[in-house]
Amino acid sequence: MMCCVMMNRLVDKNARIFVAGGNGLVGSAVIRQLEKQGYTNILSPSHGKLELMDRVAVEKFFRTHCPEYVVLAAARVGGIHANNTYPAEFIYQNLMIQNHVIHESWRHNVSRLIFLGSSCMYPKLCPQPMREEDLMTGLLEPTNSPYAMAKITGVEMCRSYNRQYGTSYISVIPTNLYGPNDNFDLETSHVLPALIRKFHEAKMSDSPSVVVWGTGSPKREFLHVNDLADACILLLNSGLKAIHKDSMIFNIGSGMEISIGELAGLIKSIVGYEGTIIFDPSKPDGTPRKLVDSSRVNAMGWHSKIQLADGIIKTYEWFLNNNIGKR
Ligand code: GFB
C-alpha cells in the first residue's frame, strides 16, 4: 500500500544541500549526480573538518551553514568480516552520527532529509523479495546485527520525527552497492571490490588460485552507486509527505540476484584471470539471500540503468586508474 501524498516540489538548483559522508562510496556518488543535474550549492565538509560524532560540532555546522536539504550518507560501513570483527564500533558510531544529523536537521528546519539504511536491516530469513513492510518482523543476521540495529534505529527516528514534528524525512534501503570510491581493503571491504582486487593481484603475480570466502552459494543483489544516487535525488525532489508510518521508506535495488560463486566467475573473466577459484567454507556466508522489492520506487519512475557486467568493467577501470592494489 502506497501511503503518501505527492505534492509538486522541486529542489531549487541553488538550494543548500548537505551531503554527509561526501568522500564515501554513496556520498561521492550523490555529489557527482547532483552536480551533473546542475545543483550548485552542495555542502560536504570532510571528516577532518566536521566530526559527525561530535554533537557540538554538528550543531555549530547546522547553525552556521543552514542546510535546506540533507542526504545522510555518512556511516561506519564494511563487509561481512569488518561487521563481525568490530561490532561495538559499528553500533556506536552509526548511532552517534545519525542521532546528531537527524536531530540537528529537525532543530534547524531542514525541509527534507534522506537517510541511508541497508538491506541487512531485514530479517535473516525474510521472504524474498523483501518488502518495506517486512522490517522488524524477524531475527537479524548475526554477522551484522549491530550495524543493522543502528540503521533500523535511524529509520525509526525518521518515522518518529515525521509523526511527532510533521517533518518529511525519507529512509532508503539500498541493496549491496558498488562503484567508484569503494573500499578495496581485503579485510574490511564488501565482496565485489574485494574480488576485483583479489583477481587483479592474482593475475599480476601469476598466482595459481584465488580464495573466495564462504561456500559461494549465498545470493546477493548488486546496484551501481550512480543508480542509487539518482534514486536519492528523485526522492529529494518528490514532495512526498508522510501520512502513514511506512510510507516514507523505499527499497532501492536492481532486481538482479547472483550467487557469490557466479559473481566470482564474472569478475574473474572481466579481470582476465586464468587460474582457479577455491572456496573457503571456514569463512561466514552471512545471510542466504537479500533481494529487495523495489516496486515502490519503481512506481515513482526510478529504475536501475547500469547492468552488472558493465558496472564491474567501469569499476575495474576506476580501480586501475586510481592505482589501487599492486600492479
Ligand atoms: O559483501 P559482503 O562482505 O557482505 O559478503 P554481506 C557477501 C558474501 O560474499 C558473503 C562472500 O557470503 C561473503 O562470505 N565473500 C566471498 C566475500 N569472498 C569475499 C571476500 O573476499 N570479501 C568479502 N567481504 N566477502 C554486508 C553487511 O553483508 O553487506 C553489511 O555485513 C552491509 O552490514 C553490507 O549490509 C551491504 O552482503 O554479507
Side-chain angles (χ1 to χ4, degrees):
M1 181 173 54
M2 189 75 184
C3 296
C4 30
V5 289
M6 285 282 280
M7 299 184 312
N8 254 349
R9 187 180 66 173
L10 286 183
V11 178
D12 192 279
K13 297 285 178 189
N14 298 316
R16 289 179 301 280
I17 306 174
F18 173 32
V19 180
N23 288 328
L25 172 69
V26 174
S28 63
V30 170
I31 293 174
R32 210 164 45 238
Q33 301 303 93
L34 280 170
E35 285 176 346
K36 212 160 136 191
Q37 294 186 28
Y39 293 92
T40 57
N41 207 346
I42 301 163
L43 310 167
S44 193
S46 65
H47 193 174
K49 294 240 166 69
L50 175 61
E51 171 53 78
L52 296 172
M53 289 199 294
D54 177 346
R55 193 194 63 76
V56 174
V58 175
E59 195 282 327
K60 185 172 173 214
F61 173 82
F62 275 84
R63 191 166 18 91
T64 311
H65 298 282
C66 307
E68 296 158 87
Y69 298 89
V70 172
V71 179
L72 176 40
R76 173 70 187 271
V77 296
I80 193 165
H81 179 70
N83 269 268
N84 220 5
T85 312
Y86 308 108
E89 292 173 28
F90 273 77
I91 193 162
Y92 174 75
Q93 294 180 12
N94 285 305
L95 285 172
M96 286 298 110
I97 292 168
Q98 63 205 38
N99 279 350
H100 297 156
V101 175
I102 296 171
H103 189 65
E104 294 306 327
S105 292
W106 165 67
R107 286 189 65 221
H108 292 86
N109 300 316
V110 166
S111 33
R112 166 62 47 96
L113 175 143
I114 308 275
F115 174 70
L116 267 292
S118 164
S119 59
C120 67
M121 298 189 306
Y122 286 107
K124 178 183 173 95
L125 300 176
C126 190
Q128 306 284 311
M130 308 181 293
R131 299 161 313 141
E132 290 86 348
E133 295 82 2
D134 294 329
L135 282 173
M136 297 200 276
T137 55
L139 293 176
L140 298 168
E141 153 61 29
T143 52
N144 57 35
S145 64
Y147 174 76
M149 286 294 289
K151 288 288 181 182
I152 289 170
T153 304
V155 170
E156 197 61 15
M157 258 183 102
C158 290
R159 278 172 168 171
S160 304
Y161 282 57
N162 290 347
R163 195 151 65 92
Q164 185 175 345
Y165 300 132
T167 52
S168 43
Y169 295 165
I170 294 176
S171 296
V172 297
I173 308 183
T175 190
N176 286 44
L177 300 168
Y178 70 97
N181 291 317
D182 209 340
N183 168 19
F184 288 85
D185 177 276
L186 292 180
E187 287 290 299
T188 57
S189 62
H190 291 96
V191 61
L192 197 150
L195 293 186
I196 289 180
R197 182 171 186 161
K198 283 183 178 177
F199 284 115
H200 173 74
E201 291 184 352
K203 178 174 109 172
M204 292 295 120
S205 60
D206 277 329
S207 294
S209 58
V210 162
V211 174
V212 173
W213 296 349
T215 60
S217 62
K219 291 186 173 172
R220 294 290 183 271
E221 177 192 21
F222 291 96
L223 180 73
H224 192 282
V225 73
N226 284 4
D227 278 339
L228 169 71
D230 286 343
C232 290
I233 297 169
L234 177 97
L235 292 169
L236 206 58
N237 276 284
S238 68
L240 290 168
K241 197 100 185 88
I243 56 169
H244 180 276
K245 73 182 174 67
D246 281 334
S247 64
M248 302 288 272
I249 306 175
F250 293 87
N251 286 334
I252 318 279
S254 61
M256 222 288 286
E257 248 188 331
I258 182 171
S259 74
I260 298 302
E262 288 167 327
L263 177 77
L266 179 61
I267 296 177
K268 179 185 165 191
S269 75
I270 287 170
V271 170
Y273 173 67
E274 289 178 348
T276 55
I277 295 174
I278 297 174
F279 291 99
D280 175 4
S282 72
K283 292 282 197 299
D285 267 345
T287 198
R289 286 181 74 190
K290 252 199 297 193
L291 178 66
V292 297
D293 178 340
S294 302
S295 40
R296 233 183 230 185
V297 72
N298 292 158
M300 294 183 60
W302 175 91
H303 296 270
S304 70
K305 294 196 195 108
I306 303 173
Q307 296 298 315
L308 182 60
D310 296 340
I312 294 174
I313 291 169
K314 291 233 160 54
T315 306
Y316 184 41
E317 280 167 12
W318 186 90
F319 170 92
L320 293 174
N321 293 336
N322 287 276
N323 295 312
I324 296 168
K326 295 181 217 119
R327 294 211 157 223

